[in-house]
Amino acid sequence: MPDLSTFSAALGERAARDEFTGSVLVTLGDQRLLAGAYGYANRACRTACTLDTRFDTASVTKLFTAVAVLQQIERGAFALETSAVEYLGLTGTTISPDVTPYHLLTHTSGIADDADESDGERYEDLFVDEPTYAFTETAHHLPHFVTKPPRFAPGEACRYCNVGYLLLGLMVERATGGSYREYVHANVFEPAGMSRSAFLRMDVVASDVAEGVEAIRDADGEITGWRRNIFSYPPVGDPAGGAYTTVGDLTAFHRALAEGRLLGPESTAAMFIPYAQAEGYLATGYGLEFRTDAEGRVRYYEKEGVNVGVSALLRHYPGHGTGDGVTLAMLGVGEDTIWPLVRLFDESMPHT
């Protein structure tokens, strides 16, 4: 059992200094070990965050996409080895016809990203010369990357690639004949009991939603105001990021996935295996990333999300035969807000 006293105290201390806005839920099986909400969901109205506040999850959304893809593979719509280019009719682009869903899921496709974070590129810079509101469908993002030269041949290396999950979402849309967002709501959110989760639009008023902001600081580092993230990315989420959820729903998703309520036994097991390793990064699987020791034993697996105004994490420490493991769900306002606390939480977890 972890000692969360230091972590809990730090949550309140950082929130009091305006260094943390968000919510957190720590569970051991069905038991809540810690739950809390801190700061303002809306600073203009000084509306407090609660455990029912919905936050943008950024790239944590990729987990929902991975499940949707494996569901389609189970149903025979396509296979892990299917050519994404041929399936989507993307011949004539720079994307190799050898790229498959397996490569896209594990970030081993080699295709060029729309904004390569590993090179210091910022996603929000894509919309300096283009209006964010023009990107509301998955296919609208294709011009940002389908003519860029690839990084490497499929399967030859591993490099995080945001747009790989856009292609996976397009494959789900092609397979189902409908929208990615509607499919995920009906086939991931609903069966997982995620009643508070949705692909909310930033330009449409919805209740209990945290507004994404970043602190404006003066030369001395003091906060002088807050900048909204409404011009930093499109108004509605896509297969690579942008679903909204609560810490309770995010925890419910993990339990539904681990208990085999979203996928069959083979696909469920496949979700919890690392397949590739990018230099300087955690080992990667189908959406999830894995921290392992020298013997290959998993300390934790996770998916994190970062964007302007957004930080999110779902992390699980397996029980390794001692029963249910510990699950941490954190959702925050601000791209840097949760990470010092996450490091502190990890220090509270025993090393086995």
Side-chain angles (χ1 to χ4, degrees):
M1 182 75 69
D3 180 0
L4 300 178
S5 56
T6 302
F7 175 67
S8 179
L11 287 165
E13 292 166 3
R14 290 184 65 86
R17 298 195 302 267
D18 252 342
E19 294 174 351
F20 173 60
T21 296
S23 60
V24 57
L25 177 61
V26 182
T27 56
L28 176 64
D30 291 328
Q31 179 186 359
R32 282 190 175 188
L33 303 183
L34 186 151
Y38 308 81
Y40 295 117
N42 183 290
R43 288 189 171 272
C45 300
R46 299 180 73 82
T47 304
C49 291
T50 73
L51 290 175
D52 286 328
T53 300
R54 296 180 284 185
F55 294 81
D56 185 346
T57 62
S59 283
V60 173
T61 305
K62 290 181 174 68
L63 290 179
F64 312 142
T65 303
V67 169
V69 167
L70 292 180
Q71 287 176 344
Q72 291 309 306
I73 289 173
E74 288 181 336
R75 294 165 189 173
F78 49 80
L80 277 172
E81 302 79 18
T82 296
S83 167
V85 166
E86 293 180 5
Y87 191 79
L88 295 174
L90 294 177
T91 54
T93 67
T94 55
I95 301 173
S96 169
D98 295 329
V99 169
T100 67
Y102 174 84
H103 295 131
L104 299 171
L105 286 165
T106 58
H107 301 286
T108 56
S109 69
I111 64 176
D113 218 336
D114 50 4
D116 199 313
E117 296 170 347
S118 299
D119 285 346
E121 296 176 358
R122 300 277 293 177
Y123 185 65
E124 64 179 336
D125 291 341
L126 293 173
F127 307 104
V128 171
D129 298 319
E130 297 179 277
T132 57
Y133 57 77
F135 294 81
T136 56
E137 299 298 332
T138 308
H140 291 168
H141 297 270
L142 289 173
H144 279 155
F145 65 94
V146 295
T147 60
K148 297 174 72 173
R151 289 284 186 171
F152 50 83
E156 286 192 356
C158 179
R159 186 182 181 93
Y160 190 88
C161 184
N162 192 64
V163 299
Y165 277 71
L166 291 175
L167 293 180
L168 290 169
L170 285 172
M171 294 184 76
V172 171
E173 291 186 340
R174 170 72 184 274
T176 62
S179 83
Y180 161 84
R181 292 187 286 264
E182 291 176 355
Y183 178 86
V184 167
H185 192 275
N187 295 276
V188 180
F189 294 165
E190 288 187 0
M194 301 168 68
S195 60
R196 301 282 298 152
S197 302
F199 285 89
L200 302 174
R201 291 186 63 106
M202 296 171 70
D203 56 352
V204 175
V205 174
S207 61
D208 301 319
V209 177
E211 181 180 49
V213 299
E214 294 289 349
I216 301 171
R217 299 180 184 272
D218 62 19
D220 297 321
E222 297 298 319
I223 297 174
T224 60
W226 301 89
R227 176 174 69 93
R228 292 187 173 99
N229 65 355
I230 56 174
F231 300 115
S232 298
Y233 46 93
V236 64
D238 55 51
Y244 281 75
T245 192
T246 66
V247 287
D249 272 14
L250 201 52
T251 302
F253 167 78
H254 176 259
R255 288 194 67 80
L257 178 61
E259 292 172 358
R261 289 186 277 122
L262 298 177
L263 295 166
E266 184 175 343
S267 296
T268 297
M271 280 289 297
F272 297 105
I273 299 172
Y275 297 100
Q277 178 81 61
E279 184 176 355
Y281 288 82
L282 300 181
T284 185
Y286 297 161
L288 288 168
E289 296 157 355
F290 300 78
R291 171 73 68 186
T292 57
D293 60 23
E295 288 74 40
R297 185 182 176 91
V298 175
R299 173 165 171 75
Y300 60 75
Y301 54 79
E302 68 176 24
K303 185 68 190 89
E304 50 80 26
V306 181
N307 215 327
V308 178
V310 180
S311 53
L313 178 73
L314 173 64
R315 177 183 288 182
H316 181 75
Y317 295 78
H320 292 305
T322 61
D324 288 317
V326 173
T327 302
L328 167 67
M330 286 193 76
L331 297 169
V333 173
E335 60 184 318
D336 297 323
T337 191
I338 74 171
W339 310 115
L341 290 160
V342 169
R343 289 190 288 271
L344 190 60
F345 180 86
D346 189 58
E347 292 172 4
S348 73
M349 292 295 297
H351 288 259
T352 57

